[in-house]
Amino acid sequence: QLVESGGALVQPGGSLRLSCAASGFTFRNYEMNWVRQVPGKGLEWVSFMTGSGSLIYYGDSVRGRFTISRDNVKNSLYLQMNSLRVEDTAVYYCARAEAGSLCDLWGRGTLVTVSS
Amino acid sequence: ESVLTQSPGTLSLSPGERATLSCRASQSVRGNYLAWYQQRPGQSPRLLISDASSRATGIPDRFNGSGSGTDFTLTISRLEPEDFAVYHCQQYGSSPATWTFGQGTKVEI
Protein backbone atom coordinates (compact mmCIF):
# COMPACT_ATOMS: atom_id res chain seq x y z
CA GLN A 1 0.00 0.00 0.00
CA LEU A 2 1.11 3.55 -0.72
CA VAL A 3 -0.35 6.57 1.05
CA GLU A 4 0.55 10.11 0.00
CA SER A 5 0.24 13.18 2.17
CA GLY A 6 1.29 16.80 2.23
CA GLY A 7 -0.83 18.24 -0.55
CA ALA A 8 -2.13 21.75 0.08
CA LEU A 9 -2.95 25.15 -1.37
CA VAL A 10 0.23 27.15 -1.84
CA GLN A 11 1.03 30.46 -3.49
CA PRO A 12 3.14 30.70 -6.65
CA GLY A 13 6.81 30.69 -5.74
CA GLY A 14 6.15 28.73 -2.59
CA SER A 15 7.37 25.33 -1.43
CA LEU A 16 5.76 22.09 -0.36
CA ARG A 17 6.99 18.67 0.69
CA LEU A 18 5.00 15.58 -0.22
CA SER A 19 5.37 12.28 1.59
CA CYS A 20 4.48 8.73 0.63
CA ALA A 21 4.29 5.97 3.24
CA ALA A 22 4.81 2.46 1.91
CA SER A 23 3.70 -0.78 3.53
CA GLY A 24 3.17 -4.40 2.61
CA PHE A 25 6.38 -4.84 0.62
CA THR A 26 10.14 -4.49 1.09
CA PHE A 27 10.40 -0.81 0.25
CA ARG A 28 14.18 -0.63 -0.05
CA ASN A 29 14.14 -3.21 -2.85
CA TYR A 30 11.99 -1.10 -5.14
CA GLU A 31 12.52 1.84 -7.41
CA MET A 32 9.88 4.51 -6.96
CA ASN A 33 8.25 7.25 -9.02
CA TRP A 34 6.19 10.37 -8.61
CA VAL A 35 3.55 10.89 -11.32
CA ARG A 36 1.12 13.79 -11.48
CA GLN A 37 -2.22 14.44 -13.10
CA VAL A 38 -4.04 17.68 -13.66
CA PRO A 39 -7.67 16.85 -12.75
CA GLY A 40 -9.47 15.64 -15.86
CA LYS A 41 -6.25 15.45 -17.88
CA GLY A 42 -3.54 12.93 -18.67
CA LEU A 43 -0.69 11.59 -16.55
CA GLU A 44 2.78 13.13 -16.41
CA TRP A 45 5.84 11.36 -15.05
CA VAL A 46 7.67 13.62 -12.57
CA SER A 47 10.59 11.84 -10.93
CA PHE A 48 12.27 8.45 -10.33
CA MET A 49 14.63 7.08 -7.71
CA THR A 50 16.30 3.70 -7.37
CA GLY A 51 15.97 1.68 -4.16
CA SER A 52 19.36 2.77 -2.88
CA GLY A 53 18.89 6.35 -4.00
CA SER A 54 21.94 6.11 -6.22
CA LEU A 55 20.12 7.06 -9.42
CA ILE A 56 17.60 9.86 -9.79
CA TYR A 57 15.77 11.26 -12.80
CA TYR A 58 13.45 14.22 -13.25
CA GLY A 59 11.05 15.31 -15.93
CA ASP A 60 11.99 18.42 -17.88
CA SER A 61 9.18 20.50 -16.39
CA VAL A 62 10.35 20.05 -12.78
CA ARG A 63 14.13 19.59 -13.03
CA GLY A 64 15.95 22.10 -10.86
CA ARG A 65 12.85 22.85 -8.77
CA PHE A 66 11.80 19.47 -7.36
CA THR A 67 13.90 17.01 -5.33
CA ILE A 68 13.03 13.37 -4.77
CA SER A 69 14.35 11.51 -1.73
CA ARG A 70 13.60 8.44 0.36
CA ASP A 71 14.12 7.00 3.82
CA ASN A 72 14.35 3.21 3.66
CA VAL A 73 14.19 2.94 7.44
CA LYS A 74 10.91 4.81 7.58
CA ASN A 75 9.67 3.19 4.33
CA SER A 76 8.91 6.60 2.93
CA LEU A 77 9.35 8.51 -0.30
CA TYR A 78 9.41 12.30 -0.49
CA LEU A 79 9.09 15.05 -3.06
CA GLN A 80 10.37 18.51 -2.13
CA MET A 81 8.78 21.04 -4.45
CA ASN A 82 10.23 24.56 -4.63
CA SER A 83 9.48 27.58 -6.81
CA LEU A 84 6.00 26.25 -7.42
CA ARG A 85 4.07 27.46 -10.45
CA VAL A 86 0.38 27.54 -11.27
CA GLU A 87 1.00 24.79 -13.82
CA ASP A 88 2.24 22.47 -11.04
CA THR A 89 -1.35 22.20 -9.83
CA ALA A 90 -2.21 18.50 -9.97
CA VAL A 91 -2.86 15.33 -8.05
CA TYR A 92 0.52 13.82 -7.21
CA TYR A 93 0.76 10.04 -7.11
CA CYS A 94 3.46 7.96 -5.52
CA ALA A 95 3.97 4.78 -7.53
CA ARG A 96 6.12 1.69 -7.16
CA ALA A 97 8.23 0.86 -10.18
CA GLU A 98 8.19 -2.55 -11.77
CA ALA A 99 10.85 -1.22 -14.13
CA GLY A 100 11.84 2.39 -14.67
CA SER A 101 8.66 4.41 -14.93
CA LEU A 102 6.45 1.32 -15.36
CA CYS A 103 4.33 1.49 -12.23
CA ASP A 104 2.64 -1.57 -10.75
CA LEU A 105 1.32 -0.07 -7.51
CA TRP A 106 -0.13 3.41 -7.06
CA GLY A 107 -1.23 5.47 -4.10
CA ARG A 108 -4.50 7.38 -4.01
CA GLY A 109 -2.77 10.68 -4.65
CA THR A 110 -2.56 14.04 -2.91
CA LEU A 111 -3.79 17.31 -4.40
CA VAL A 112 -1.43 20.25 -4.80
CA THR A 113 -3.02 23.55 -5.75
CA VAL A 114 -0.81 26.49 -6.67
CA SER A 115 -2.80 29.69 -6.72
CA SER A 116 -2.71 33.22 -5.38
CA GLU B 1 10.89 13.57 -26.98
CA SER B 2 8.63 10.83 -28.25
CA VAL B 3 4.95 11.77 -28.10
CA LEU B 4 2.14 9.26 -27.63
CA THR B 5 -1.19 10.06 -29.27
CA GLN B 6 -4.25 8.11 -28.21
CA SER B 7 -7.41 7.77 -30.26
CA PRO B 8 -10.25 8.18 -30.10
CA GLY B 9 -10.55 10.70 -27.28
CA THR B 10 -13.85 9.18 -26.24
CA LEU B 11 -15.39 5.83 -27.16
CA SER B 12 -19.12 5.39 -26.57
CA LEU B 13 -20.12 1.73 -26.34
CA SER B 14 -22.50 -0.63 -24.56
CA PRO B 15 -21.76 -3.50 -22.18
CA GLY B 16 -20.88 -6.63 -24.13
CA GLU B 17 -19.41 -4.71 -27.06
CA ARG B 18 -15.79 -4.78 -28.16
CA ALA B 19 -13.56 -1.76 -27.54
CA THR B 20 -10.50 -0.98 -29.62
CA LEU B 21 -8.17 1.76 -28.37
CA SER B 22 -5.18 3.07 -30.28
CA CYS B 23 -1.86 4.50 -29.11
CA ARG B 24 0.52 5.88 -31.71
CA ALA B 25 4.11 6.94 -30.96
CA SER B 26 5.95 9.67 -32.84
CA GLN B 27 9.09 7.52 -32.70
CA SER B 28 9.48 3.77 -32.61
CA VAL B 29 9.08 2.37 -29.09
CA ARG B 30 12.29 0.42 -28.43
CA GLY B 31 11.78 -3.03 -27.00
CA ASN B 32 8.01 -2.51 -27.23
CA TYR B 33 8.18 -0.98 -23.75
CA LEU B 34 4.58 0.13 -23.95
CA ALA B 35 2.07 -0.13 -21.10
CA TRP B 36 -1.64 0.40 -20.65
CA TYR B 37 -3.32 1.60 -17.46
CA GLN B 38 -6.98 1.77 -16.48
CA GLN B 39 -8.25 4.64 -14.34
CA ARG B 40 -11.78 4.41 -13.00
CA PRO B 41 -13.52 7.61 -11.86
CA GLY B 42 -12.07 8.87 -8.60
CA GLN B 43 -9.40 6.17 -8.51
CA SER B 44 -5.70 5.96 -9.19
CA PRO B 45 -4.38 4.24 -12.32
CA ARG B 46 -4.08 0.45 -12.43
CA LEU B 47 -1.55 -1.38 -14.57
CA LEU B 48 -3.23 -3.59 -17.18
CA ILE B 49 -0.60 -4.41 -19.80
CA SER B 50 3.19 -4.12 -20.02
CA ASP B 51 5.64 -4.91 -22.81
CA ALA B 52 2.81 -4.15 -25.24
CA SER B 53 1.00 -7.45 -24.70
CA SER B 54 1.69 -8.95 -21.24
CA ARG B 55 -1.25 -8.77 -18.88
CA ALA B 56 -0.46 -7.73 -15.32
CA THR B 57 -1.30 -10.03 -12.43
CA GLY B 58 -5.04 -10.46 -11.95
CA ILE B 59 -6.07 -8.73 -15.16
CA PRO B 60 -8.92 -10.57 -16.95
CA ASP B 61 -8.18 -12.12 -20.32
CA ARG B 62 -10.74 -9.91 -22.04
CA PHE B 63 -7.99 -7.25 -22.00
CA ASN B 64 -5.47 -7.73 -24.79
CA GLY B 65 -2.59 -5.56 -25.91
CA SER B 66 -0.92 -5.76 -29.29
CA GLY B 67 1.31 -3.83 -31.63
CA SER B 68 4.93 -2.91 -32.14
CA GLY B 69 7.08 -0.07 -33.40
CA THR B 70 4.85 2.99 -33.40
CA ASP B 71 1.34 1.51 -33.40
CA PHE B 72 -0.23 -0.18 -30.40
CA THR B 73 -3.75 -1.32 -29.58
CA LEU B 74 -5.65 -2.22 -26.45
CA THR B 75 -8.67 -4.42 -27.11
CA ILE B 76 -11.37 -5.17 -24.57
CA SER B 77 -13.25 -8.10 -26.03
CA ARG B 78 -16.57 -7.79 -24.15
CA LEU B 79 -17.10 -4.69 -22.07
CA GLU B 80 -18.18 -5.21 -18.49
CA PRO B 81 -19.80 -2.35 -16.52
CA GLU B 82 -16.59 -1.88 -14.51
CA ASP B 83 -14.55 -1.38 -17.70
CA PHE B 84 -16.00 2.06 -18.35
CA ALA B 85 -13.02 4.19 -17.45
CA VAL B 86 -10.13 6.18 -18.88
CA TYR B 87 -7.26 4.22 -20.42
CA HIS B 88 -3.73 5.60 -20.61
CA CYS B 89 -0.83 4.30 -22.65
CA GLN B 90 2.77 4.87 -21.55
CA GLN B 91 6.23 4.21 -22.88
CA TYR B 92 8.90 3.35 -20.33
CA GLY B 93 12.09 2.55 -22.23
CA SER B 94 15.60 2.72 -20.84
CA SER B 95 15.93 6.46 -21.35
CA PRO B 96 13.91 8.80 -19.11
CA ALA B 97 13.52 11.05 -22.13
CA THR B 98 11.04 8.46 -23.43
CA TRP B 99 8.98 8.19 -20.23
CA THR B 100 5.75 9.69 -21.51
CA PHE B 101 2.03 9.03 -21.33
CA GLY B 102 -0.68 9.46 -23.90
CA GLN B 103 -3.51 11.88 -23.20
CA GLY B 104 -5.98 9.08 -22.44
CA THR B 105 -9.07 7.53 -24.02
CA LYS B 106 -12.35 7.59 -22.15
CA VAL B 107 -14.60 4.57 -22.64
CA GLU B 108 -18.13 5.59 -21.76
CA ILE B 109 -21.55 4.02 -21.91
PDB file of all heavy atoms in Angstrom, chain B residues 53-72:
ATOM      1  N   SER B  53       2.007  -6.381 -24.609  1.00  0.00           N
ATOM      2  CA  SER B  53       1.005  -7.452 -24.699  1.00  0.00           C
ATOM      3  C   SER B  53       0.925  -8.360 -23.476  1.00  0.00           C
ATOM      4  O   SER B  53       0.146  -9.318 -23.489  1.00  0.00           O
ATOM      5  CB  SER B  53       1.292  -8.315 -25.937  1.00  0.00           C
ATOM      6  OG  SER B  53       2.579  -8.894 -25.852  1.00  0.00           O
ATOM      7  N   SER B  54       1.697  -8.086 -22.427  1.00  0.00           N
ATOM      8  CA  SER B  54       1.688  -8.955 -21.244  1.00  0.00           C
ATOM      9  C   SER B  54       0.728  -8.413 -20.198  1.00  0.00           C
ATOM     10  O   SER B  54       0.910  -7.302 -19.692  1.00  0.00           O
ATOM     11  CB  SER B  54       3.096  -9.041 -20.647  1.00  0.00           C
ATOM     12  OG  SER B  54       3.987  -9.639 -21.555  1.00  0.00           O
ATOM     13  N   ARG B  55      -0.286  -9.201 -19.883  1.00  0.00           N
ATOM     14  CA  ARG B  55      -1.249  -8.770 -18.878  1.00  0.00           C
ATOM     15  C   ARG B  55      -0.606  -8.796 -17.488  1.00  0.00           C
ATOM     16  O   ARG B  55       0.142  -9.729 -17.143  1.00  0.00           O
ATOM     17  CB  ARG B  55      -2.480  -9.681 -18.880  1.00  0.00           C
ATOM     18  CG  ARG B  55      -3.544  -9.286 -19.894  1.00  0.00           C
ATOM     19  CD  ARG B  55      -4.800 -10.128 -19.698  1.00  0.00           C
ATOM     20  NE  ARG B  55      -4.543 -11.542 -19.938  1.00  0.00           N
ATOM     21  CZ  ARG B  55      -4.591 -12.108 -21.124  1.00  0.00           C
ATOM     22  NH1 ARG B  55      -4.897 -11.380 -22.183  1.00  0.00           N
ATOM     23  NH2 ARG B  55      -4.354 -13.395 -21.263  1.00  0.00           N
ATOM     24  N   ALA B  56      -0.927  -7.778 -16.695  1.00  0.00           N
ATOM     25  CA  ALA B  56      -0.456  -7.734 -15.319  1.00  0.00           C
ATOM     26  C   ALA B  56      -1.220  -8.761 -14.475  1.00  0.00           C
ATOM     27  O   ALA B  56      -2.272  -9.267 -14.893  1.00  0.00           O
ATOM     28  CB  ALA B  56      -0.650  -6.332 -14.756  1.00  0.00           C
ATOM     29  N   THR B  57      -0.696  -9.045 -13.314  1.00  0.00           N
ATOM     30  CA  THR B  57      -1.302 -10.027 -12.430  1.00  0.00           C
ATOM     31  C   THR B  57      -2.749  -9.669 -12.118  1.00  0.00           C
ATOM     32  O   THR B  57      -3.053  -8.537 -11.736  1.00  0.00           O
ATOM     33  CB  THR B  57      -0.513 -10.120 -11.108  1.00  0.00           C
ATOM     34  OG1 THR B  57       0.850 -10.447 -11.413  1.00  0.00           O
ATOM     35  CG2 THR B  57      -1.097 -11.169 -10.198  1.00  0.00           C
ATOM     36  N   GLY B  58      -3.639 -10.652 -12.302  1.00  0.00           N
ATOM     37  CA  GLY B  58      -5.037 -10.464 -11.946  1.00  0.00           C
ATOM     38  C   GLY B  58      -5.886  -9.766 -12.981  1.00  0.00           C
ATOM     39  O   GLY B  58      -7.088  -9.559 -12.753  1.00  0.00           O
ATOM     40  N   ILE B  59      -5.310  -9.420 -14.117  1.00  0.00           N
ATOM     41  CA  ILE B  59      -6.075  -8.735 -15.161  1.00  0.00           C
ATOM     42  C   ILE B  59      -6.814  -9.765 -16.009  1.00  0.00           C
ATOM     43  O   ILE B  59      -6.208 -10.709 -16.507  1.00  0.00           O
ATOM     44  CB  ILE B  59      -5.153  -7.861 -16.039  1.00  0.00           C
ATOM     45  CG1 ILE B  59      -4.433  -6.814 -15.178  1.00  0.00           C
ATOM     46  CG2 ILE B  59      -5.952  -7.210 -17.157  1.00  0.00           C
ATOM     47  CD1 ILE B  59      -5.345  -5.903 -14.379  1.00  0.00           C
ATOM     48  N   PRO B  60      -8.131  -9.581 -16.181  1.00  0.00           N
ATOM     49  CA  PRO B  60      -8.920 -10.567 -16.947  1.00  0.00           C
ATOM     50  C   PRO B  60      -8.456 -10.692 -18.387  1.00  0.00           C
ATOM     51  O   PRO B  60      -7.937  -9.737 -18.975  1.00  0.00           O
ATOM     52  CB  PRO B  60     -10.343  -9.981 -16.884  1.00  0.00           C
ATOM     53  CG  PRO B  60     -10.344  -9.027 -15.752  1.00  0.00           C
ATOM     54  CD  PRO B  60      -8.955  -8.493 -15.656  1.00  0.00           C
ATOM     55  N   ASP B  61      -8.687 -11.869 -18.960  1.00  0.00           N
ATOM     56  CA  ASP B  61      -8.179 -12.119 -20.317  1.00  0.00           C
ATOM     57  C   ASP B  61      -9.010 -11.440 -21.392  1.00  0.00           C
ATOM     58  O   ASP B  61      -8.696 -11.576 -22.591  1.00  0.00           O
ATOM     59  CB  ASP B  61      -8.040 -13.618 -20.581  1.00  0.00           C
ATOM     60  CG  ASP B  61      -9.354 -14.365 -20.471  1.00  0.00           C
ATOM     61  OD1 ASP B  61     -10.407 -13.706 -20.318  1.00  0.00           O
ATOM     62  OD2 ASP B  61      -9.325 -15.606 -20.507  1.00  0.00           O
ATOM     63  N   ARG B  62     -10.027 -10.704 -21.022  1.00  0.00           N
ATOM     64  CA  ARG B  62     -10.738  -9.905 -22.036  1.00  0.00           C
ATOM     65  C   ARG B  62      -9.932  -8.665 -22.432  1.00  0.00           C
ATOM     66  O   ARG B  62     -10.240  -8.013 -23.426  1.00  0.00           O
ATOM     67  CB  ARG B  62     -12.125  -9.485 -21.549  1.00  0.00           C
ATOM     68  CG  ARG B  62     -12.168  -8.558 -20.368  1.00  0.00           C
ATOM     69  CD  ARG B  62     -13.623  -8.208 -20.008  1.00  0.00           C
ATOM     70  NE  ARG B  62     -13.719  -7.290 -18.887  1.00  0.00           N
ATOM     71  CZ  ARG B  62     -13.715  -7.679 -17.620  1.00  0.00           C
ATOM     72  NH1 ARG B  62     -13.645  -8.962 -17.325  1.00  0.00           N
ATOM     73  NH2 ARG B  62     -13.794  -6.774 -16.650  1.00  0.00           N
ATOM     74  N   PHE B  63      -8.882  -8.357 -21.668  1.00  0.00           N
ATOM     75  CA  PHE B  63      -7.988  -7.249 -21.995  1.00  0.00           C
ATOM     76  C   PHE B  63      -6.790  -7.802 -22.774  1.00  0.00           C
ATOM     77  O   PHE B  63      -6.065  -8.665 -22.276  1.00  0.00           O
ATOM     78  CB  PHE B  63      -7.484  -6.540 -20.732  1.00  0.00           C
ATOM     79  CG  PHE B  63      -8.538  -5.771 -20.006  1.00  0.00           C
ATOM     80  CD1 PHE B  63      -9.259  -6.362 -18.974  1.00  0.00           C
ATOM     81  CD2 PHE B  63      -8.818  -4.455 -20.338  1.00  0.00           C
ATOM     82  CE1 PHE B  63     -10.244  -5.661 -18.296  1.00  0.00           C
ATOM     83  CE2 PHE B  63      -9.802  -3.731 -19.672  1.00  0.00           C
ATOM     84  CZ  PHE B  63     -10.521  -4.343 -18.650  1.00  0.00           C
ATOM     85  N   ASN B  64      -6.571  -7.277 -23.963  1.00  0.00           N
ATOM     86  CA  ASN B  64      -5.468  -7.732 -24.790  1.00  0.00           C
ATOM     87  C   ASN B  64      -4.733  -6.561 -25.396  1.00  0.00           C
ATOM     88  O   ASN B  64      -5.357  -5.647 -25.947  1.00  0.00           O
ATOM     89  CB  ASN B  64      -5.966  -8.664 -25.901  1.00  0.00           C
ATOM     90  CG  ASN B  64      -6.369 -10.014 -25.359  1.00  0.00           C
ATOM     91  OD1 ASN B  64      -5.527 -10.843 -25.035  1.00  0.00           O
ATOM     92  ND2 ASN B  64      -7.664 -10.223 -25.209  1.00  0.00           N
ATOM     93  N   GLY B  65      -3.417  -6.590 -25.310  1.00  0.00           N
ATOM     94  CA  GLY B  65      -2.589  -5.563 -25.909  1.00  0.00           C
ATOM     95  C   GLY B  65      -1.835  -6.137 -27.089  1.00  0.00           C
ATOM     96  O   GLY B  65      -1.450  -7.309 -27.094  1.00  0.00           O
ATOM     97  N   SER B  66      -1.649  -5.314 -28.112  1.00  0.00           N
ATOM     98  CA  SER B  66      -0.920  -5.756 -29.294  1.00  0.00           C
ATOM     99  C   SER B  66      -0.210  -4.572 -29.917  1.00  0.00           C
ATOM    100  O   SER B  66      -0.423  -3.415 -29.527  1.00  0.00           O
ATOM    101  CB  SER B  66      -1.869  -6.405 -30.295  1.00  0.00           C
ATOM    102  OG  SER B  66      -2.829  -5.468 -30.751  1.00  0.00           O
ATOM    103  N   GLY B  67       0.626  -4.882 -30.901  1.00  0.00           N
ATOM    104  CA  GLY B  67       1.309  -3.827 -31.634  1.00  0.00           C
ATOM    105  C   GLY B  67       2.807  -3.851 -31.437  1.00  0.00           C
ATOM    106  O   GLY B  67       3.336  -4.574 -30.582  1.00  0.00           O
ATOM    107  N   SER B  68       3.482  -3.041 -32.228  1.00  0.00           N
ATOM    108  CA  SER B  68       4.929  -2.907 -32.143  1.00  0.00           C
ATOM    109  C   SER B  68       5.338  -1.650 -32.894  1.00  0.00           C
ATOM    110  O   SER B  68       4.529  -1.084 -33.659  1.00  0.00           O
ATOM    111  CB  SER B  68       5.634  -4.134 -32.726  1.00  0.00           C
ATOM    112  OG  SER B  68       5.329  -4.259 -34.099  1.00  0.00           O
ATOM    113  N   GLY B  69       6.592  -1.245 -32.680  1.00  0.00           N
ATOM    114  CA  GLY B  69       7.081  -0.073 -33.397  1.00  0.00           C
ATOM    115  C   GLY B  69       6.417   1.208 -32.934  1.00  0.00           C
ATOM    116  O   GLY B  69       6.695   1.696 -31.849  1.00  0.00           O
ATOM    117  N   THR B  70       5.519   1.739 -33.748  1.00  0.00           N
ATOM    118  CA  THR B  70       4.853   2.994 -33.402  1.00  0.00           C
ATOM    119  C   THR B  70       3.354   2.848 -33.195  1.00  0.00           C
ATOM    120  O   THR B  70       2.702   3.812 -32.786  1.00  0.00           O
ATOM    121  CB  THR B  70       5.077   4.055 -34.496  1.00  0.00           C
ATOM    122  OG1 THR B  70       4.547   3.556 -35.729  1.00  0.00           O
ATOM    123  CG2 THR B  70       6.557   4.384 -34.657  1.00  0.00           C
ATOM    124  N   ASP B  71       2.799   1.697 -33.482  1.00  0.00           N
ATOM    125  CA  ASP B  71       1.338   1.514 -33.399  1.00  0.00           C
ATOM    126  C   ASP B  71       0.955   0.398 -32.440  1.00  0.00           C
ATOM    127  O   ASP B  71       1.353  -0.757 -32.629  1.00  0.00           O
ATOM    128  CB  ASP B  71       0.757   1.233 -34.788  1.00  0.00           C
ATOM    129  CG  ASP B  71       0.808   2.452 -35.671  1.00  0.00           C
ATOM    130  OD1 ASP B  71       0.165   3.454 -35.319  1.00  0.00           O
ATOM    131  OD2 ASP B  71       1.505   2.407 -36.695  1.00  0.00           O
ATOM    132  N   PHE B  72       0.169   0.754 -31.442  1.00  0.00           N
ATOM    133  CA  PHE B  72      -0.226  -0.175 -30.402  1.00  0.00           C
ATOM    134  C   PHE B  72      -1.730  -0.104 -30.192  1.00  0.00           C
ATOM    135  O   PHE B  72      -2.351   0.955 -30.391  1.00  0.00           O
ATOM    136  CB  PHE B  72       0.512   0.136 -29.099  1.00  0.00           C
ATOM    137  CG  PHE B  72       2.000   0.007 -29.231  1.00  0.00           C
ATOM    138  CD1 PHE B  72       2.772   1.085 -29.660  1.00  0.00           C
ATOM    139  CD2 PHE B  72       2.633  -1.197 -28.950  1.00  0.00           C
ATOM    140  CE1 PHE B  72       4.135   0.966 -29.811  1.00  0.00           C
ATOM    141  CE2 PHE B  72       4.007  -1.323 -29.091  1.00  0.00           C
ATOM    142  CZ  PHE B  72       4.755  -0.244 -29.529  1.00  0.00           C
TER     143      PHE B  72
END
